[in-house]
Amino acid sequence: MTNTLRSERARPLAGAARVPGDKSISHRALMLGALAVGESVVGGLLEGDDVLHTAACLRALGAEVTRRDDGTWHLFGRGVGGLVEPADLLDMGNSGTGARLMMGLVATHPFTTFFTGDASLRSRPMRRVTEPLARMGARFVTREGGRLPLAVVGTAQPVPIRYELPVASAQVKSALLLAGLNTPGETTVVEPEPTRDHTELMLRAFGADVRVEPTEQGGRVVTVTGFPELTGRRFEVPADPSSAAFPAVAALLVAGSEILLSNVGVNPLRTGLYQTLREMGADILFENEREQGGEKVADLRVRAGRLKGVEVPAERAPSMIDEYPILAIAAACAEGTTRMNGLAELRVKESDRLGAMARGLAACGVRVEEEADVLIVHGTGRPPVGGATIASKFDHRIAMSFLVLGMVAEQPVVVDDADSIGTSFPGFVALMNSLGAAIA
């Protein structure tokens, strides 16, 4: 049975909360812990479905991965090049990040690995990862269009490459850097514009040799040296800025609200949404800024207020690609038009997020225009009508975004299948209701 949720007008949001750990960092902490020598202890790990699938797959590859009663995760790694052939399929669930990074991890090991996932993941393109990994020596057998299920035939003699990303992608970059760990010489990725750098920061923290150099065109050249000795370490995962976006935008929109979100990751390559919201007039303060395991973190204080429409440049997309659905909700309540550019990547997320947002907003009485890579939202400065039932298409960010809209809309909003929320934000409903939402 699917989990249908109904969200209605909220009272002013108040209080403090901590959203779950950063999903991107959680995947990478587990993977590098599985490659490190000795014990790694990870606190604050996101225990959502996506990350739990990654943990299960690393166990299948020979790493020791356990959760203690105090909530910490303990890993005893295999060392670089020490993973073993899994006895069964690796099921990545709904996680595109987990699948693409894991392909890089096994591509330079001399064994065959079979990958699958849920219906949504099996529909998503993997060729952007398989093509450069094939240049390093791995072979792939895939369904039409490079989709899962697929087989990775790892190479015993990997070749280092210099690869220029055709489109900025932290997942492709990370997959190649992870493959480069078990490859002689230097593996280099050239990105046209900077993408989230969690992999580079964490590789350094575990002891790898990573160089990052700017290009004259505004991008970056990232190089990893093969065969490092990664050493187990303690690591605390900051709260996910993408998850924090949902209560933050809700607090901006529900009159009279003020909330504090603690220990949120504010890596500059992940804060495009907060920059955009501030340009719209949002009252968002980063308090107690500090560094934690190489990552910048802060406490976010958010107060309600009026927002105005803005134009969001295409070059900002890599720093907020997961946050456009909730930004569209803010835009629907803002005064004036918001134009979001450079959104082609949203067509190949867990769903066609661009199309899903346009249809859902229109059903809630918001005037929208949709182009190939552009979403234009015409806000009226007041809450939308709402009253629609939204088909989430098993997309957690679509589901959570429209539940936030229901908190401010004139009529309740229903999401037809909210089970997917558990992939990134377990406890979402309880946290939101604790602040003042009315989701049931």
Side-chain angles (χ1 to χ4, degrees):
M1 178 180 289
T2 60
N3 178 21
T4 298
L5 292 177
R6 180 178 187 269
S7 178
E8 58 186 52
R9 278 278 183 119
R11 64 180 187 271
L13 304 188
R18 175 169 176 169
V19 302
D22 186 288
K23 185 165 70 161
S24 295
I25 295 175
S26 292
H27 283 300
R28 289 159 171 82
L30 290 177
M31 290 182 190
L32 291 181
L35 295 180
V37 175
E39 183 182 22
S40 293
V41 181
V42 182
L45 192 85
L46 169 64
E47 296 184 359
D49 295 343
D50 282 5
V51 175
L52 296 179
H53 276 287
T54 289
C57 291
L58 291 170
R59 292 188 191 102
L61 290 163
E64 183 179 326
V65 185
T66 58
R67 183 190 187 280
R68 300 280 175 86
D69 290 342
D70 63 359
T72 58
W73 287 70
H74 293 247
L75 297 95
F76 288 91
R78 303 281 307 186
V80 170
L83 299 178
V84 299
E85 185 171 60
D88 206 343
L89 288 167
L90 297 188
D91 183 355
M92 301 308 304
N94 186 243
S95 180
T97 298
R100 294 186 179 107
L101 269 58
M102 196 75 74
M103 287 180 204
L105 208 64
V106 302
T108 51
H109 283 74
F111 53 73
T112 299
T113 312
F114 296 91
F115 287 86
T116 190
D118 66 13
S120 172
L121 185 61
R122 293 196 305 272
S123 72
R124 297 170 66 182
M126 296 294 159
R127 191 170 287 154
R128 66 177 68 179
V129 174
T130 61
E131 287 183 351
L133 288 174
R135 298 187 192 185
M136 299 181 76
R139 292 190 295 114
F140 296 86
V141 181
T142 75
R143 293 173 63 212
E144 182 181 0
R147 293 174 295 138
L148 272 63
L150 61 76
V152 182
V153 183
T155 175
Q157 296 179 309
V159 178
I161 63 171
R162 179 185 176 92
Y163 184 71
E164 296 193 10
L165 293 172
V167 178
S169 170
Q171 292 180 0
V172 178
K173 173 182 66 176
S174 299
L176 294 176
L177 295 177
L178 291 173
L181 291 174
N182 196 39
T183 300
E186 295 185 339
T187 297
T188 298
V189 182
V190 183
E191 50 184 3
E193 51 196 288
T195 64
R196 57 184 66 177
D197 60 353
H198 303 307
T199 301
E200 298 95 300
L201 293 173
M202 197 174 297
L203 279 169
R204 285 198 188 111
F206 275 87
D209 179 8
V210 181
R211 298 196 313 274
V212 180
E213 302 163 332
T215 66
E216 292 181 358
Q217 295 75 32
R220 298 191 312 169
V221 180
V222 185
T223 301
V224 65
T225 302
F227 304 137
E229 178 148 327
L230 304 183
T231 305
R233 57 157 297 166
R234 298 188 70 91
F235 191 88
E236 186 72 21
V237 178
D240 195 324
S242 297
S243 295
F246 298 100
V249 169
L252 291 174
L253 300 181
V254 178
S257 297
E258 179 177 342
I259 65 170
L260 184 70
L261 302 171
S262 63
N263 207 49
V264 178
V266 291
N267 182 311
L269 296 171
R270 292 285 302 280
T271 54
L273 172 71
Y274 299 101
Q275 178 183 350
T276 303
L277 290 171
R278 283 170 170 164
E279 290 172 1
M280 297 173 76
D283 186 352
I284 301 175
L285 297 177
F286 287 4
E287 300 179 347
N288 190 23
E289 293 188 60
R290 55 207 184 272
E291 191 169 293
Q292 181 177 292
E295 292 281 353
K296 295 183 183 299
V297 299
D299 302 325
L300 273 56
R301 187 172 298 279
V302 187
R303 300 182 181 93
R306 296 185 66 81
L307 303 179
K308 64 179 187 300
V310 296
E311 178 147 357
V312 188
E315 56 267 24
R316 196 174 293 170
S319 69
M320 57 181 296
I321 195 64
D322 289 331
E323 285 81 67
Y324 282 106
I326 191 62
L327 176 61
I329 300 301
C333 301
E335 184 174 348
T337 298
T338 296
R339 179 185 176 96
M340 293 164 258
N341 301 291
L343 308 189
E345 177 73 8
L346 294 186
R347 299 288 190 190
V348 291
K349 286 290 188 178
E350 283 84 337
S351 65
D352 173 1
R353 282 184 178 160
L354 201 163
M357 289 306 301
R359 291 188 298 272
L361 287 172
C364 290
V366 180
R367 189 161 68 89
V368 296
E369 299 173 57
E370 175 190 356
E371 300 174 10
D373 66 345
V374 174
L375 182 63
I376 302 170
V377 180
H378 299 280
T380 61
R382 63 186 308 277
V385 174
T389 296
I390 305 298
S392 69
K393 303 292 186 182
F394 201 70
D395 190 313
H396 51 127
R397 300 200 193 279
I398 297 296
M400 289 186 283
S401 294
F402 280 100
L403 291 172
V404 170
L405 182 64
M407 295 169 61
V408 70
E410 294 177 2
Q411 300 174 24
V413 173
V414 174
V415 172
D416 72 342
D417 184 356
D419 287 333
S420 60
I421 291 173
T423 65
S424 69
F425 201 149
F428 170 78
V429 173
L431 184 146
M432 296 298 284
N433 285 346
S434 74
L435 295 173
I439 302 173

